[in-house]
Amino acid sequence: MKIEGQDKAGIGVGLIRKALTAPAETRAIPRSAAAQPSERARAVTGELVVRLAAQGAPVDRETVNAIRDALARGEYPIDARKIADAMIALDLG
């Protein structure tokens, strides 16, 4: 079983991190020129965030159970070097 650093839409975590941390001069639209949301839009967005947070993170129970079962049987390969490299790449220390 292989787990990649991508969400279900296929967007790589590294790509998102790169976009969020890009210097202002390399962004397509400077933050100062971007349209500012209305008060209503901010309120609706806030409500949506609260509802989504209350639902919790989406979890693929089938995949979780398959990994749990494979671990219990000793059949799930754990590559400590790969895990360490990913943590370093994410700057998790």
Side-chain angles (χ1 to χ4, degrees):
M1 183 173 288
K2 186 175 182 183
I3 299 175
E4 296 293 330
Q6 295 186 340
D7 66 10
K8 290 189 184 235
I11 299 171
V13 173
L15 180 63
I16 294 170
R17 182 182 303 279
K18 185 177 178 182
L20 292 175
T21 59
E25 61 274 5
T26 64
R27 292 189 190 113
I29 300 174
R31 285 188 181 158
S32 60
Q36 297 299 314
S38 68
E39 189 65 34
R40 175 70 182 138
R42 283 193 292 271
V44 169
T45 302
E47 292 168 14
L48 179 60
V49 167
V50 169
R51 271 191 271 150
L52 290 173
Q55 291 176 2
V59 177
D60 181 346
R61 295 287 180 199
E62 187 176 323
T63 300
V64 170
N65 290 334
I67 292 171
R68 182 178 291 133
D69 293 344
L71 283 168
R73 292 189 309 269
E75 297 173 357
Y76 189 84
I78 298 176
D79 185 343
R81 182 175 300 280
K82 191 172 184 179
I83 294 169
D85 289 344
M87 289 178 68
I88 291 168
L90 291 173
D91 195 28
L92 296 177

